Amino acid sequence: MNVFQIDFDSIKEDALNGRYITYDHIAPILNSIPTDFKVEKIGESVNNLPIHTITFGKGPIKILMWSQMHGNESTTTKAIFDLINFIDKHPTYSEPILTSCTIKIIPILNPDGAKSYTRINANQVDLNRDAQNRTQPESRILRGCYDQFNPDFCFNLHGQRTIFNVGNTSKPATVSFLAPAFDEQRNISPTREQSMRLIAAMNQELQELIPGQVGRYDDGFNSNCVGDTFQMLNVPTILFEAGHYKDDYAREKTRKFIFIALLKAINVISSDTVGDYDREAYFEIPDNNKLFYDILISNAHLLNPDKYEIGDSIGILYKEVLNNETVNFIPSVEKIGKIENYFGHKTYDCASKIDFSDLKSQNFTALL
């Protein structure tokens, strides 16, 4: 099956929508999942919320993936369940994968952080900086799962903010990847090279859908990060970062691109074609940069000449605030002044009558 022919709406997990995804949201899905998918509780969080794995396939190549290590990064969790639906509903495509691979998924590693919509866990610890000391139960659960499963590949699934763009372009980093370093010198081991080749494969696929919107994450080495640690253990590991797509603050479009990337990577692994992709193509993916504001207002002096100088711009970022189980995007002024070489997901030029009128009607104008 050509990935571009997939009817995504037919496999999309409709029970999961928006940015706020918690254990309560996935529990009914886990309870009703088809019997070919084995659900197992492998531990509990600081606040005693269950942490589960979903395992499927019977092949010798083992793939381990985990999502919501950071509780407020939920897009990849949605994509995981979309992937499971696809595997279940398309047996002709799935059978070669299930025959050659065994896939184990931790859908929410940090359920306490997911519930409070925070990056950290209930003990205020970033689990992605706890790979060596493993001070937290969630960190020990992940490492225990890793040790017991002994994977051949690891997928570390995350989400990134709207500030990221691709290179120096005005394209948002809708999806970003990283083949984590395993040493300070960022050398390329055989296993890191496999990570790079897999990323090249996924990038090739995504460029057909979101050209210029795939970035490469910074590969500074930190042994406390889980991806770097697993790469140090000679297991090809890939960091996935689900980012922003135009007008998609709910990340409902991005989940599709993550699903497609996951399916491509699994297909390449199961068909033993990783070596068909050039590792140098990995380095051709532009670096991520941080050149976006959610709202960028130029010629701000026309809005308020007493407050702003000629040539001033205003950069606004949204703060994600949880209220009654809904994530609200609250505008916050981040910078005022000569903002050059930056972009806005939404732009207003006060020198334009249309933009000026539209801006004056927005509920955040009082901030200005």
Side-chain angles (χ1 to χ4, degrees):
M1 178 184 292
N2 187 315
V3 70
F4 301 118
Q5 296 175 338
I6 295 171
D7 179 8
F8 181 70
D9 287 340
S10 71
I11 57 93
K12 179 181 177 182
E13 179 49 67
D14 292 329
L16 301 177
N17 291 284
R19 296 290 284 276
Y20 188 58
I21 305 295
T22 69
Y23 172 73
D24 287 343
H25 293 103
I26 70 167
I29 305 173
L30 296 178
N31 289 333
S32 61
I33 205 162
T35 55
D36 289 342
F37 299 84
K38 179 183 177 182
V39 176
E40 182 181 8
K41 179 181 172 181
I42 58 171
E44 293 183 344
S45 67
V46 173
N47 289 337
N48 302 315
L49 287 177
I51 297 171
H52 289 88
T53 56
I54 306 166
T55 307
F56 53 96
K58 53 185 180 296
I61 306 171
K62 292 180 282 187
I63 304 171
L64 174 65
M65 61 181 84
W66 60 95
S67 185
Q68 274 180 278
M69 167 175 280
H70 295 144
N72 58 356
E73 298 176 1
S74 58
T75 306
T76 52
T77 303
K78 295 186 289 187
I80 279 171
F81 285 99
D82 299 336
L83 174 68
I84 288 170
N85 286 346
F86 175 82
I87 294 292
D88 180 49
K89 294 180 180 180
H90 293 278
T92 301
Y93 187 97
S94 302
E95 186 56 33
I97 293 173
L98 299 174
T99 300
S100 58
C101 296
T102 300
I103 299 171
K104 187 179 290 290
I105 300 173
I106 303 174
I108 300 182
L109 179 63
N110 180 7
D112 298 339
K115 186 173 183 178
S116 59
Y117 198 70
T118 59
R119 176 184 176 91
I120 52 182
N121 78 340
N123 285 334
Q124 313 300 303
V125 172
D126 185 337
L127 301 178
N128 205 26
R129 301 297 183 271
D130 192 38
Q132 294 298 322
N133 294 330
R134 298 193 287 278
T135 64
Q136 302 304 300
E138 298 92 346
S139 303
R140 294 189 288 273
I141 287 167
L142 175 60
R143 183 55 183 267
C145 180
Y146 170 93
D147 289 340
Q148 183 178 31
F149 188 53
N150 192 24
D152 298 293
F153 295 89
C154 288
F155 295 171
N156 187 9
L157 308 179
H158 286 262
Q160 65 183 21
R161 298 171 61 198
T162 58
I163 60 174
F164 289 97
N165 68 303
V166 175
N168 292 313
T169 74
S170 61
K171 298 275 192 174
T174 302
V175 178
S176 297
F177 296 110
L178 172 67
F182 70 95
D183 61 8
E184 292 282 358
Q185 294 73 36
R186 309 179 194 184
N187 289 313
I188 302 175
S189 63
T191 50
R192 191 179 185 212
E193 181 174 320
Q194 284 188 288
S195 300
M196 292 175 174
R197 292 180 186 273
L198 268 174
I199 290 170
M202 291 185 287
N203 178 58
Q204 184 182 94
E205 195 84 11
L206 290 174
Q207 290 299 331
E208 298 294 323
L209 297 169
I210 45 172
Q213 291 177 229
V214 179
R216 183 159 51 94
Y217 216 76
D218 175 66
D219 66 350
F221 176 69
N222 185 343
S223 64
N224 294 311
C225 293
V226 172
D228 302 55
T229 293
F230 290 169
Q231 199 82 272
M232 291 164 64
L233 295 171
N234 295 316
V235 175
T237 301
I238 295 174
L239 172 71
F240 291 67
E241 292 279 356
H244 188 67
Y245 185 84
K246 182 177 172 61
D247 298 327
D248 184 35
Y249 283 90
R251 302 275 167 97
E252 290 299 302
K253 294 184 176 68
T254 298
R255 71 188 287 179
K256 176 181 177 179
F257 304 131
I258 295 294
F259 157 75
I260 288 171
L262 288 170
L263 186 60
K264 177 67 175 182
I266 293 169
N267 185 54
V268 169
I269 291 169
S270 69
S271 60
D272 193 25
T273 55
V274 177
D276 292 355
Y277 297 89
D278 185 1
R279 84 174 193 189
E280 296 306 312
Y282 170 78
F283 294 102
E284 294 172 3
I285 301 172
D287 290 335
N288 275 343
N289 215 330
K290 301 176 182 178
L291 297 179
F292 259 110
Y293 289 99
D294 290 303
I295 303 169
L296 185 60
I297 302 166
S298 58
N299 289 308
H301 66 284
L302 297 174
L303 183 68
N304 189 337
D306 295 328
K307 187 174 181 179
Y308 308 114
E309 298 180 2
I310 293 175
D312 274 356
S313 295
I314 303 170
I316 293 175
L317 290 175
Y318 291 133
K319 292 185 177 180
E320 299 171 21
V321 179
L322 181 65
N323 185 21
N324 293 326
E325 299 193 352
T326 300
V327 177
N328 297 308
F329 296 89
I330 310 299
S332 175
V333 175
E334 294 295 316
K335 187 171 182 180
I336 297 171
K338 307 301 185 288
I339 304 176
E340 299 176 352
N341 301 318
Y342 277 78
F343 311 105
H345 293 297
K346 176 67 176 176
T347 60
Y348 297 92
D349 183 353
C350 294
S352 162
K353 289 183 179 179
I354 294 175
D355 282 8
F356 189 83
S357 176
D358 189 11
L359 177 61
K360 294 288 283 186
S361 69
Q362 300 301 314
N363 58 11
F364 60 81
T365 307
L367 294 172
L368 312 177

